[in-house]
Coordinates of all heavy atoms in Angstrom, one line a residue:
M1 N 12.9 -17.9 -24.9 CA 12.6 -16.5 -24.7 C 12.1 -15.8 -26.0 O 12.4 -16.3 -27.1 CB 13.8 -15.7 -24.2 CG 14.2 -16.0 -22.7 SD 13.3 -15.1 -21.5 CE 13.8 -16.0 -20.0
C2 N 11.3 -14.7 -25.9 CA 10.7 -14.1 -27.0 C 11.9 -13.4 -27.8 O 12.9 -13.1 -27.2 CB 9.8 -13.0 -26.6 SG 8.5 -13.6 -25.4
S3 N 11.6 -13.1 -29.1 CA 12.7 -12.5 -29.9 C 12.9 -11.0 -29.5 O 14.1 -10.6 -29.4 CB 12.3 -12.6 -31.4 OG 11.1 -12.0 -31.6
K4 N 11.9 -10.3 -29.2 CA 12.0 -8.9 -28.8 C 11.6 -8.6 -27.4 O 10.4 -8.6 -27.1 CB 11.2 -8.0 -29.8 CG 11.4 -6.5 -29.6 CD 12.6 -6.0 -30.2 CE 12.7 -4.5 -30.0 NZ 13.8 -4.1 -29.1
L5 N 12.6 -8.5 -26.5 CA 12.3 -8.3 -25.1 C 12.2 -6.8 -24.8 O 12.9 -6.0 -25.4 CB 13.3 -8.9 -24.2 CG 13.5 -10.4 -24.3 CD1 14.7 -10.8 -23.4 CD2 12.3 -11.1 -23.9
T6 N 11.3 -6.4 -23.9 CA 11.2 -5.0 -23.5 C 12.4 -4.7 -22.6 O 13.1 -5.6 -22.2 CB 9.9 -4.8 -22.7 OG1 10.0 -5.5 -21.5 CG2 8.7 -5.2 -23.5
D7 N 12.5 -3.4 -22.2 CA 13.6 -3.0 -21.3 C 13.5 -3.8 -20.0 O 14.5 -4.3 -19.5 CB 13.6 -1.5 -21.0 CG 14.0 -0.7 -22.2 OD1 14.5 -1.3 -23.2 OD2 13.8 0.5 -22.2
L8 N 12.3 -3.9 -19.4 CA 12.2 -4.5 -18.1 C 12.4 -6.0 -18.2 O 13.0 -6.6 -17.3 CB 10.8 -4.2 -17.5 CG 10.6 -4.7 -16.1 CD1 11.6 -4.1 -15.1 CD2 9.2 -4.3 -15.6
E9 N 11.9 -6.6 -19.3 CA 12.2 -8.1 -19.5 C 13.7 -8.3 -19.7 O 14.2 -9.3 -19.1 CB 11.4 -8.5 -20.7 CG 9.9 -8.6 -20.5 CD 9.1 -8.7 -21.8 OE1 9.6 -8.5 -22.9 OE2 7.9 -9.0 -21.7
T10 N 14.4 -7.4 -20.4 CA 15.8 -7.6 -20.5 C 16.5 -7.5 -19.2 O 17.4 -8.2 -18.9 CB 16.4 -6.5 -21.5 OG1 15.7 -6.6 -22.7 CG2 17.9 -6.6 -21.7
C11 N 16.0 -6.6 -18.3 CA 16.6 -6.4 -17.0 C 16.4 -7.7 -16.2 O 17.3 -8.1 -15.5 CB 15.9 -5.2 -16.3 SG 16.2 -4.9 -14.6
M12 N 15.2 -8.3 -16.3 CA 14.9 -9.5 -15.5 C 15.8 -10.6 -16.0 O 16.4 -11.4 -15.2 CB 13.5 -9.9 -15.6 CG 12.6 -8.9 -14.9 SD 10.8 -9.0 -15.4 CE 10.3 -10.5 -14.8
Q13 N 16.0 -10.7 -17.3 CA 16.8 -11.7 -17.9 C 18.3 -11.6 -17.5 O 18.9 -12.5 -17.2 CB 16.7 -11.6 -19.5 CG 17.3 -12.8 -20.2 CD 17.2 -12.7 -21.7 OE1 17.4 -11.6 -22.2 NE2 16.9 -13.7 -22.4
T14 N 18.7 -10.3 -17.4 CA 20.1 -10.0 -17.0 C 20.3 -10.4 -15.5 O 21.3 -11.0 -15.2 CB 20.4 -8.5 -17.2 OG1 20.2 -8.2 -18.6 CG2 21.8 -8.2 -16.8
M15 N 19.3 -10.1 -14.7 CA 19.4 -10.5 -13.3 C 19.6 -12.0 -13.1 O 20.4 -12.5 -12.3 CB 18.1 -10.1 -12.5 CG 18.2 -8.6 -12.0 SD 16.7 -8.1 -11.3 CE 16.6 -9.1 -9.9
M16 N 18.8 -12.8 -13.9 CA 18.9 -14.3 -13.9 C 20.3 -14.7 -14.4 O 20.9 -15.5 -13.7 CB 17.8 -14.9 -14.7 CG 16.4 -14.8 -14.1 SD 15.2 -15.7 -15.0 CE 14.7 -14.5 -16.2
A17 N 20.7 -14.1 -15.5 CA 22.0 -14.5 -16.1 C 23.2 -14.2 -15.1 O 24.1 -15.0 -14.9 CB 22.2 -13.8 -17.4
V18 N 23.1 -13.0 -14.5 CA 24.2 -12.6 -13.5 C 24.2 -13.6 -12.4 O 25.3 -14.1 -12.0 CB 24.0 -11.1 -13.1 CG1 24.9 -10.8 -11.9 CG2 24.3 -10.2 -14.2
F19 N 23.0 -13.9 -11.8 CA 23.0 -14.8 -10.7 C 23.6 -16.1 -11.0 O 24.5 -16.6 -10.3 CB 21.5 -15.0 -10.2 CG 21.4 -15.9 -9.1 CD1 21.5 -15.6 -7.8 CD2 21.0 -17.3 -9.3 CE1 21.4 -16.5 -6.7 CE2 20.9 -18.2 -8.3 CZ 21.1 -17.8 -7.0
H20 N 23.2 -16.7 -12.1 CA 23.6 -18.0 -12.5 C 25.1 -18.1 -12.9 O 25.8 -19.1 -12.7 CB 22.7 -18.7 -13.6 CG 21.4 -19.0 -13.0 ND1 21.2 -20.0 -12.1 CD2 20.2 -18.4 -13.2 CE1 19.9 -20.0 -11.7 NE2 19.3 -19.1 -12.4
K21 N 25.6 -16.9 -13.5 CA 27.0 -16.9 -13.8 C 27.9 -17.1 -12.6 O 28.9 -17.8 -12.7 CB 27.3 -15.5 -14.4 CG 28.7 -15.2 -14.8 CD 28.8 -13.8 -15.4 CE 30.2 -13.2 -15.4 NZ 30.2 -11.8 -15.9
Y22 N 27.5 -16.5 -11.5 CA 28.3 -16.6 -10.2 C 27.9 -17.8 -9.4 O 28.8 -18.4 -8.7 CB 28.2 -15.3 -9.4 CG 28.9 -14.2 -10.1 CD1 28.2 -13.3 -10.9 CD2 30.2 -13.9 -9.9 CE1 28.8 -12.3 -11.6 CE2 30.9 -12.9 -10.6 CZ 30.1 -12.1 -11.4 OH 30.7 -11.1 -12.1
A23 N 26.7 -18.3 -9.5 CA 26.2 -19.4 -8.7 C 26.9 -20.7 -9.0 O 26.9 -21.6 -8.2 CB 24.7 -19.5 -8.8
C24 N 27.4 -20.8 -10.2 CA 28.0 -22.1 -10.6 C 29.5 -22.0 -10.6 O 30.2 -22.9 -11.2 CB 27.5 -22.5 -12.0 SG 28.0 -21.4 -13.3
K25 N 30.1 -21.0 -10.0 CA 31.6 -20.8 -10.0 C 32.3 -21.9 -9.1 O 33.4 -22.4 -9.5 CB 32.0 -19.5 -9.4 CG 31.6 -18.3 -10.4 CD 32.8 -17.7 -11.0 CE 32.4 -16.7 -12.1 NZ 33.5 -16.1 -12.7
D26 N 31.7 -22.2 -7.9 CA 32.4 -23.2 -7.1 C 32.3 -24.6 -7.8 O 31.4 -24.9 -8.5 CB 31.6 -23.3 -5.7 CG 31.9 -22.2 -4.8 OD1 32.8 -21.4 -5.1 OD2 31.3 -22.1 -3.7
K27 N 33.3 -25.4 -7.5 CA 33.3 -26.7 -8.1 C 32.6 -27.7 -7.2 O 33.2 -28.6 -6.7 CB 34.8 -27.2 -8.4 CG 35.5 -26.3 -9.3 CD 35.0 -26.3 -10.7 CE 35.7 -25.3 -11.6 NZ 34.8 -24.5 -12.5
D28 N 31.3 -27.4 -7.0 CA 30.5 -28.3 -6.2 C 29.1 -28.5 -6.9 O 28.9 -28.0 -8.0 CB 30.3 -27.8 -4.7 CG 29.7 -26.5 -4.6 OD1 29.0 -26.0 -5.6 OD2 29.8 -25.8 -3.6
D29 N 28.2 -29.2 -6.2 CA 26.9 -29.4 -6.9 C 25.8 -28.3 -6.6 O 24.7 -28.4 -7.0 CB 26.3 -30.8 -6.5 CG 26.2 -31.0 -5.0 OD1 26.6 -30.1 -4.2 OD2 25.6 -32.0 -4.6
K30 N 26.3 -27.3 -5.8 CA 25.3 -26.2 -5.5 C 25.4 -25.1 -6.6 O 25.8 -24.0 -6.3 CB 25.6 -25.7 -4.1 CG 25.4 -26.7 -3.0 CD 25.8 -26.1 -1.6 CE 25.6 -27.2 -0.6 NZ 26.1 -26.7 0.7
V31 N 24.9 -25.5 -7.8 CA 25.0 -24.6 -8.9 C 23.9 -23.6 -9.0 O 23.9 -22.7 -9.8 CB 25.1 -25.4 -10.2 CG1 26.4 -26.2 -10.3 CG2 23.9 -26.3 -10.4
F32 N 22.9 -23.8 -8.2 CA 21.7 -22.8 -8.2 C 21.7 -21.9 -7.0 O 20.7 -21.2 -6.8 CB 20.4 -23.6 -8.3 CG 20.3 -24.4 -9.6 CD1 20.0 -25.8 -9.5 CD2 20.5 -23.8 -10.8 CE1 20.0 -26.5 -10.7 CE2 20.5 -24.6 -12.0 CZ 20.2 -25.9 -11.9
T33 N 22.7 -21.9 -6.2 CA 22.8 -21.0 -5.0 C 24.2 -20.4 -5.0 O 25.2 -20.9 -5.4 CB 22.5 -21.7 -3.7 OG1 23.3 -22.8 -3.6 CG2 21.0 -22.1 -3.6
L34 N 24.3 -19.2 -4.3 CA 25.6 -18.5 -4.1 C 26.2 -18.9 -2.8 O 25.5 -18.7 -1.7 CB 25.4 -17.0 -4.2 CG 24.9 -16.4 -5.5 CD1 24.4 -14.9 -5.2 CD2 26.0 -16.4 -6.5
S35 N 27.4 -19.4 -2.8 CA 28.1 -19.6 -1.6 C 28.7 -18.2 -1.1 O 28.6 -17.2 -1.9 CB 29.3 -20.6 -1.8 OG 30.2 -20.0 -2.7
N36 N 29.3 -18.2 0.0 CA 30.0 -16.9 0.5 C 31.0 -16.4 -0.5 O 30.9 -15.2 -0.9 CB 30.6 -17.1 1.9 CG 31.0 -15.8 2.5 OD1 31.9 -15.1 1.9 ND2 30.5 -15.5 3.6
P37 N 31.9 -17.2 -1.0 CA 32.9 -16.7 -2.0 C 32.2 -16.3 -3.3 O 32.7 -15.3 -4.0 CB 33.8 -17.9 -2.3 CG 33.7 -18.8 -1.1 CD 32.3 -18.6 -0.6
E38 N 31.2 -17.0 -3.7 CA 30.5 -16.6 -5.0 C 29.8 -15.3 -4.8 O 29.8 -14.4 -5.7 CB 29.5 -17.7 -5.4 CG 30.1 -19.0 -5.9 CD 29.2 -20.2 -6.0 OE1 28.1 -20.2 -5.4 OE2 29.5 -21.1 -6.8
L39 N 29.1 -15.1 -3.6 CA 28.5 -13.8 -3.3 C 29.5 -12.7 -3.3 O 29.2 -11.6 -3.9 CB 27.7 -13.9 -2.0 CG 27.1 -12.6 -1.5 CD1 25.9 -12.2 -2.4 CD2 26.6 -12.7 -0.1
K40 N 30.6 -12.9 -2.7 CA 31.7 -11.9 -2.6 C 32.2 -11.5 -4.0 O 32.3 -10.3 -4.3 CB 32.9 -12.5 -1.8 CG 34.0 -11.5 -1.5 CD 35.0 -12.1 -0.5 CE 36.0 -11.1 -0.1 NZ 37.0 -10.7 -1.1
E41 N 32.3 -12.5 -4.9 CA 32.8 -12.2 -6.3 C 31.7 -11.4 -7.0 O 32.0 -10.4 -7.7 CB 33.1 -13.5 -7.0 CG 33.8 -13.2 -8.3 CD 34.3 -14.5 -9.1 OE1 34.3 -15.6 -8.5 OE2 34.7 -14.3 -10.2
L42 N 30.4 -11.8 -6.9 CA 29.3 -11.1 -7.5 C 29.3 -9.7 -7.1 O 29.2 -8.7 -7.9 CB 28.0 -11.8 -7.2 CG 26.8 -11.3 -7.9 CD1 25.7 -12.4 -8.1 CD2 26.1 -10.1 -7.2
L43 N 29.3 -9.5 -5.7 CA 29.2 -8.1 -5.2 C 30.4 -7.2 -5.7 O 30.2 -6.1 -6.1 CB 29.2 -8.1 -3.7 CG 28.0 -8.7 -3.0 CD1 28.2 -8.9 -1.5 CD2 26.7 -7.9 -3.3
S44 N 31.6 -7.8 -5.6 CA 32.8 -7.0 -6.0 C 32.8 -6.7 -7.5 O 33.3 -5.6 -7.9 CB 34.1 -7.6 -5.5 OG 34.3 -8.8 -6.2
K45 N 32.3 -7.6 -8.3 CA 32.4 -7.4 -9.8 C 31.2 -6.7 -10.3 O 31.3 -6.0 -11.4 CB 32.6 -8.7 -10.5 CG 34.0 -9.2 -10.3 CD 34.3 -10.4 -11.1 CE 35.7 -10.9 -11.0 NZ 36.0 -12.3 -11.5
E46 N 30.0 -6.9 -9.7 CA 28.8 -6.4 -10.3 C 28.1 -5.2 -9.5 O 27.3 -4.5 -10.0 CB 27.7 -7.5 -10.4 CG 28.2 -8.7 -11.1 CD 28.3 -8.6 -12.6 OE1 27.8 -7.6 -13.1 OE2 28.9 -9.4 -13.3
L47 N 28.5 -5.1 -8.2 CA 27.8 -4.1 -7.4 C 28.7 -3.2 -6.5 O 28.2 -2.6 -5.5 CB 26.8 -4.8 -6.5 CG 25.4 -5.1 -7.1 CD1 24.6 -6.0 -6.1 CD2 24.6 -3.9 -7.4
S48 N 30.0 -3.1 -6.9 CA 30.9 -2.4 -6.1 C 30.6 -0.9 -6.0 O 30.9 -0.2 -5.0 CB 32.3 -2.6 -6.6 OG 32.4 -2.1 -7.9
G49 N 29.9 -0.4 -7.0 CA 29.5 1.1 -6.9 C 28.3 1.3 -6.0 O 28.1 2.4 -5.5
F50 N 27.5 0.3 -5.7 CA 26.3 0.5 -5.0 C 26.3 -0.1 -3.6 O 25.6 0.2 -2.7 CB 25.1 -0.2 -5.7 CG 24.6 0.6 -6.9 CD1 25.3 1.7 -7.4 CD2 23.4 0.3 -7.5 CE1 24.8 2.5 -8.4 CE2 22.9 1.0 -8.6 CZ 23.6 2.1 -9.0
V51 N 27.2 -1.1 -3.4 CA 27.3 -1.8 -2.1 C 28.6 -1.5 -1.4 O 29.7 -1.8 -1.9 CB 27.1 -3.3 -2.2 CG1 27.3 -4.0 -0.9 CG2 25.8 -3.6 -2.8
K52 N 28.6 -0.8 -0.2 CA 29.8 -0.5 0.5 C 30.4 -1.8 1.0 O 29.7 -2.7 1.5 CB 29.4 0.4 1.8 CG 29.7 1.8 1.5 CD 29.5 2.6 2.8 CE 29.1 4.0 2.6 NZ 28.6 4.7 3.7
G53 N 31.7 -1.9 0.9 CA 32.4 -3.1 1.4 C 32.2 -4.3 0.6 O 32.3 -5.5 1.1
A54 N 31.9 -4.2 -0.7 CA 31.6 -5.3 -1.6 C 32.7 -6.2 -1.7 O 32.6 -7.4 -1.9 CB 31.1 -4.8 -3.0
A55 N 34.0 -5.7 -1.5 CA 35.1 -6.6 -1.7 C 35.7 -6.9 -0.3 O 36.8 -7.6 -0.2 CB 36.2 -5.8 -2.5
D56 N 35.1 -6.5 0.8 CA 35.6 -6.8 2.1 C 34.9 -8.0 2.7 O 33.7 -8.1 2.8 CB 35.3 -5.5 3.0 CG 35.6 -5.7 4.4 OD1 36.8 -6.0 4.7 OD2 34.7 -5.7 5.3
A57 N 35.8 -9.0 3.1 CA 35.3 -10.3 3.6 C 34.3 -10.1 4.8 O 33.3 -10.8 4.8 CB 36.5 -11.2 4.0
E58 N 34.6 -9.3 5.7 CA 33.8 -9.1 6.9 C 32.4 -8.5 6.5 O 31.3 -9.0 7.0 CB 34.4 -8.3 8.0 CG 33.9 -8.5 9.4 CD 34.8 -7.8 10.4 OE1 36.0 -8.0 10.4 OE2 34.2 -7.1 11.2
A59 N 32.4 -7.5 5.6 CA 31.2 -6.9 5.2 C 30.3 -7.9 4.4 O 29.1 -8.0 4.6 CB 31.5 -5.7 4.3
V60 N 31.0 -8.8 3.6 CA 30.3 -9.8 2.8 C 29.7 -10.8 3.8 O 28.5 -11.2 3.6 CB 31.2 -10.5 1.8 CG1 30.5 -11.6 1.1 CG2 31.7 -9.4 0.7
N61 N 30.4 -11.2 4.9 CA 29.8 -12.1 5.8 C 28.5 -11.5 6.4 O 27.5 -12.3 6.6 CB 30.8 -12.4 7.0 CG 32.0 -13.2 6.5 OD1 31.9 -13.9 5.5 ND2 33.0 -13.2 7.3
K62 N 28.5 -10.2 6.7 CA 27.3 -9.6 7.3 C 26.2 -9.6 6.3 O 25.0 -9.9 6.6 CB 27.6 -8.2 7.7 CG 28.3 -8.1 9.1 CD 28.5 -6.6 9.5 CE 29.4 -6.5 10.7 NZ 29.9 -5.1 10.9
I63 N 26.5 -9.3 5.1 CA 25.5 -9.2 4.0 C 24.9 -10.6 3.8 O 23.7 -10.8 3.7 CB 26.1 -8.7 2.7 CG1 26.5 -7.2 2.8 CG2 25.1 -8.9 1.5 CD1 27.4 -6.7 1.7
M64 N 25.8 -11.6 3.8 CA 25.4 -13.0 3.6 C 24.4 -13.4 4.7 O 23.3 -14.0 4.4 CB 26.6 -13.9 3.7 CG 26.4 -15.4 3.5 SD 26.6 -15.8 1.8 CE 25.9 -17.4 1.8
K65 N 24.7 -13.1 6.0 CA 23.8 -13.4 7.1 C 22.4 -12.8 6.9 O 21.4 -13.4 7.2 CB 24.4 -13.0 8.4 CG 25.3 -14.0 9.1 CD 25.7 -13.6 10.5 CE 26.8 -14.6 11.0 NZ 27.5 -14.0 12.1
K66 N 22.5 -11.5 6.5 CA 21.2 -10.8 6.3 C 20.4 -11.4 5.2 O 19.1 -11.4 5.3 CB 21.6 -9.3 5.9 CG 21.2 -8.3 6.9 CD 21.4 -6.9 6.4 CE 21.0 -5.8 7.3 NZ 21.3 -4.5 6.8
L67 N 21.0 -11.8 4.1 CA 20.3 -12.3 2.9 C 19.8 -13.7 3.1 O 18.7 -14.1 2.6 CB 21.2 -12.3 1.7 CG 21.6 -10.9 1.2 CD1 22.5 -11.1 0.0 CD2 20.4 -10.1 0.8
D68 N 20.5 -14.5 3.9 CA 20.2 -15.9 4.0 C 19.0 -16.2 4.9 O 19.1 -16.7 6.0 CB 21.5 -16.7 4.5 CG 21.3 -18.2 4.5 OD1 20.3 -18.6 3.8 OD2 22.1 -18.8 5.2
H69 N 17.8 -15.9 4.4 CA 16.6 -16.0 5.2 C 16.3 -17.5 5.6 O 15.8 -17.7 6.7 CB 15.4 -15.5 4.4 CG 15.3 -14.0 4.4 ND1 14.8 -13.2 5.4 CD2 15.8 -13.1 3.5 CE1 14.9 -12.0 5.2 NE2 15.6 -11.8 4.0
D70 N 16.5 -18.4 4.7 CA 16.2 -19.8 5.1 C 17.4 -20.5 5.9 O 17.3 -21.7 6.2 CB 15.8 -20.7 3.9 CG 16.9 -20.8 2.9 OD1 18.1 -20.3 3.1 OD2 16.6 -21.4 1.8
K71 N 18.4 -19.7 6.2 CA 19.5 -20.2 7.0 C 20.2 -21.5 6.5 O 20.6 -22.3 7.3 CB 19.1 -20.4 8.5 CG 18.4 -19.2 9.1 CD 19.3 -18.1 9.4 CE 18.6 -16.8 9.9 NZ 19.3 -15.6 9.6
D72 N 20.4 -21.6 5.2 CA 21.1 -22.8 4.7 C 22.5 -22.5 4.3 O 23.2 -23.4 3.8 CB 20.3 -23.4 3.5 CG 20.3 -22.5 2.3 OD1 20.7 -21.3 2.4 OD2 19.9 -23.0 1.2
G73 N 23.0 -21.3 4.7 CA 24.4 -20.9 4.4 C 24.7 -20.6 2.9 O 25.8 -20.3 2.6
E74 N 23.6 -20.5 2.1 CA 23.7 -20.1 0.7 C 22.7 -19.0 0.4 O 21.7 -18.9 1.1 CB 23.5 -21.3 -0.2 CG 24.4 -22.5 0.0 CD 25.6 -22.5 -0.9 OE1 25.4 -22.1 -2.1 OE2 26.7 -22.9 -0.5
V75 N 22.9 -18.3 -0.7 CA 22.0 -17.3 -1.1 C 21.3 -17.8 -2.4 O 21.9 -18.1 -3.4 CB 22.6 -15.9 -1.4 CG1 21.7 -15.0 -2.1 CG2 23.2 -15.3 -0.2
N76 N 20.0 -18.1 -2.3 CA 19.2 -18.6 -3.5 C 18.7 -17.4 -4.3 O 18.9 -16.3 -3.9 CB 18.1 -19.6 -3.1 CG 17.1 -18.9 -2.2 OD1 16.8 -17.7 -2.3 ND2 16.4 -19.7 -1.3
F77 N 18.1 -17.7 -5.4 CA 17.7 -16.6 -6.3 C 16.7 -15.7 -5.7 O 16.8 -14.5 -5.8 CB 17.1 -17.2 -7.6 CG 16.8 -16.2 -8.7 CD1 17.9 -15.5 -9.3 CD2 15.5 -15.8 -9.0 CE1 17.6 -14.5 -10.2 CE2 15.3 -14.8 -9.9 CZ 16.3 -14.1 -10.5
Q78 N 15.8 -16.3 -4.9 CA 14.8 -15.5 -4.2 C 15.5 -14.5 -3.2 O 15.1 -13.3 -3.2 CB 13.8 -16.4 -3.4 CG 12.6 -15.7 -2.9 CD 11.7 -16.6 -2.2 OE1 11.7 -17.8 -2.4 NE2 10.9 -16.1 -1.3
E79 N 16.4 -15.0 -2.5 CA 17.2 -14.1 -1.5 C 18.0 -13.1 -2.3 O 18.1 -11.9 -1.9 CB 18.1 -15.0 -0.7 CG 17.3 -15.9 0.3 CD 18.1 -17.1 0.9 OE1 19.2 -17.4 0.3 OE2 17.6 -17.7 1.8
F80 N 18.5 -13.4 -3.4 CA 19.3 -12.5 -4.3 C 18.4 -11.4 -4.8 O 18.7 -10.2 -4.8 CB 19.9 -13.3 -5.5 CG 20.5 -12.4 -6.6 CD1 21.7 -11.8 -6.4 CD2 19.8 -12.3 -7.8 CE1 22.2 -11.0 -7.4 CE2 20.4 -11.6 -8.8 CZ 21.6 -10.9 -8.6
V81 N 17.2 -11.7 -5.3 CA 16.2 -10.8 -5.8 C 15.8 -9.8 -4.7 O 15.7 -8.6 -5.0 CB 15.0 -11.5 -6.4 CG1 13.9 -10.4 -6.7 CG2 15.4 -12.2 -7.7
V82 N 15.7 -10.2 -3.5 CA 15.3 -9.4 -2.4 C 16.4 -8.3 -2.2 O 16.2 -7.1 -2.0 CB 15.1 -10.2 -1.0 CG1 15.1 -9.2 0.2 CG2 13.9 -11.0 -1.1
M83 N 17.7 -8.7 -2.3 CA 18.8 -7.8 -2.2 C 18.8 -6.8 -3.3 O 18.9 -5.6 -3.0 CB 20.2 -8.6 -2.2 CG 21.4 -7.6 -2.2 SD 22.9 -8.5 -2.4 CE 22.9 -8.9 -4.1
V84 N 18.7 -7.2 -4.5 CA 18.7 -6.3 -5.7 C 17.5 -5.4 -5.6 O 17.7 -4.1 -5.8 CB 18.7 -7.1 -7.0 CG1 18.6 -6.2 -8.2 CG2 19.9 -8.0 -7.1
S85 N 16.3 -5.9 -5.2 CA 15.2 -5.0 -5.1 C 15.4 -3.9 -4.0 O 15.0 -2.8 -4.2 CB 13.9 -5.8 -4.7 OG 13.7 -6.8 -5.7
S86 N 15.9 -4.3 -2.9 CA 16.2 -3.4 -1.8 C 17.1 -2.3 -2.2 O 16.9 -1.1 -1.9 CB 16.8 -4.1 -0.6 OG 16.1 -5.2 -0.2
I87 N 18.2 -2.7 -2.9 CA 19.2 -1.7 -3.4 C 18.5 -0.7 -4.4 O 18.7 0.5 -4.4 CB 20.4 -2.4 -4.0 CG1 21.2 -3.1 -3.0 CG2 21.3 -1.3 -4.7 CD1 22.2 -4.0 -3.5
C88 N 17.6 -1.3 -5.3 CA 16.9 -0.6 -6.3 C 16.0 0.5 -5.6 O 15.9 1.6 -6.1 CB 16.1 -1.5 -7.1 SG 15.7 -0.9 -8.7
I89 N 15.3 0.1 -4.6 CA 14.4 1.0 -3.8 C 15.2 2.1 -3.2 O 14.8 3.3 -3.3 CB 13.6 0.2 -2.8 CG1 12.6 -0.7 -3.4 CG2 12.9 1.1 -1.8 CD1 12.0 -1.8 -2.5
Q90 N 16.3 1.8 -2.6 CA 17.2 2.8 -2.0 C 17.7 3.8 -3.1 O 17.7 5.0 -2.8 CB 18.4 2.2 -1.3 CG 18.0 1.5 0.0 CD 19.1 0.7 0.6 OE1 20.3 1.1 0.5 NE2 18.8 -0.3 1.3
C91 N 18.1 3.3 -4.2 CA 18.6 4.2 -5.3 C 17.4 5.1 -5.8 O 17.6 6.3 -6.0 CB 19.1 3.3 -6.5 SG 20.6 2.5 -6.1
N92 N 16.2 4.5 -5.9 CA 15.1 5.3 -6.3 C 14.8 6.4 -5.3 O 14.4 7.6 -5.7 CB 13.9 4.4 -6.6 CG 12.7 5.2 -7.2 OD1 12.9 5.8 -8.2 ND2 11.6 5.2 -6.5
D93 N 14.9 6.1 -4.0 CA 14.6 7.1 -3.0 C 15.6 8.2 -3.1 O 15.3 9.4 -3.0 CB 14.8 6.4 -1.6 CG 13.6 5.5 -1.2 OD1 12.6 5.6 -2.0 OD2 13.7 4.7 -0.3
L94 N 16.9 7.9 -3.3 CA 17.9 8.9 -3.5 C 17.7 9.8 -4.7 O 17.8 11.0 -4.6 CB 19.3 8.3 -3.6 CG 19.9 7.6 -2.4 CD1 21.2 6.9 -2.7 CD2 20.2 8.7 -1.3
L95 N 17.2 9.1 -5.8 CA 16.9 9.9 -7.0 C 15.8 10.8 -6.8 O 15.8 12.0 -7.2 CB 16.6 8.9 -8.1 CG 16.1 9.5 -9.5 CD1 17.3 10.2 -10.1 CD2 15.5 8.4 -10.4
M96 N 14.7 10.4 -6.1 CA 13.6 11.2 -5.8 C 14.0 12.4 -4.9 O 13.5 13.5 -5.1 CB 12.4 10.4 -5.2 CG 11.8 9.5 -6.3 SD 10.2 8.8 -5.8 CE 10.6 8.0 -4.3
A97 N 14.8 12.1 -3.9 CA 15.2 13.2 -3.0 C 16.0 14.2 -3.8 O 15.9 15.4 -3.5 CB 16.1 12.6 -1.9
H98 N 16.9 13.7 -4.7 CA 17.7 14.6 -5.5 C 16.8 15.5 -6.4 O 17.0 16.7 -6.5 CB 18.6 13.8 -6.4 CG 19.6 14.6 -7.2 ND1 20.6 15.3 -6.7 CD2 19.6 14.8 -8.6 CE1 21.3 15.9 -7.7 NE2 20.6 15.6 -8.8
I99 N 15.8 14.9 -7.0 CA 14.9 15.6 -7.9 C 14.1 16.7 -7.1 O 14.0 17.9 -7.5 CB 13.9 14.7 -8.6 CG1 14.7 13.8 -9.6 CG2 12.8 15.4 -9.3 CD1 13.9 12.7 -10.2
K100 N 13.6 16.3 -5.9 CA 12.9 17.3 -5.1 C 13.7 18.5 -4.7 O 13.3 19.6 -4.6 CB 12.3 16.5 -3.8 CG 11.1 15.8 -4.1 CD 10.6 15.1 -2.8 CE 9.5 14.1 -3.1 NZ 9.4 13.1 -1.9
Q101 N 15.0 18.2 -4.4 CA 16.0 19.2 -4.0 C 16.2 20.3 -5.1 O 16.3 21.4 -4.8 CB 17.3 18.6 -3.6 CG 17.8 18.9 -2.2 CD 19.1 18.2 -1.9 OE1 19.8 17.8 -2.8 NE2 19.4 18.0 -0.7
R102 N 16.1 19.8 -6.3 CA 16.4 20.7 -7.4 C 15.2 21.6 -7.8 O 15.3 22.5 -8.5 CB 16.8 19.9 -8.7 CG 18.2 19.2 -8.5 CD 18.5 18.4 -9.7 NE 18.6 19.2 -10.9 CZ 18.8 18.6 -12.1 NH1 18.9 17.3 -12.2 NH2 18.9 19.4 -13.2
K103 N 14.0 21.2 -7.3 CA 12.8 22.0 -7.6 C 12.7 23.3 -6.8 O 13.2 23.4 -5.7 CB 11.5 21.2 -7.3 CG 11.3 20.2 -8.5 CD 10.0 19.5 -8.3 CE 9.8 18.5 -9.4 NZ 8.6 17.7 -9.2
Ligands
CA201 CA1 27.1 -22.2 -6.0
CA202 CA1 19.6 -19.3 1.9

C-alpha cells in the first residue's frame, strides 16, 4: 500500500481489514468468507449502533439469508460490501433528511 492514504482509501483499507479479521475466526479453511457465527460477531462488535438486532441470533440469520446472494451459506467480501454500502446509503439519507429539516 502507498505510504500516505487519503481518507477514502483508509476507509476502504479498514473495510478489508475488518472483514478479514472476522472471516478467519472459525477454525476451518474458509478464511476468506464469513460464516454465520463470524457475521454475528462482526455485527455485534462493529455495527451494533447501526444494525438492529446485531447480537440477536434470529436477526443475524435473517441478515445472513439476505446477504448471501450466491447461496453458499457464507458471506464473501462482495456480499459484505453490499451490506456496508446499503447501511452507508441509509445513514446518508437520514443525514440529508436531518439537514433539510433544520433549514
Ligand atoms: Ca470464515
Ligand atoms: Ca455467499
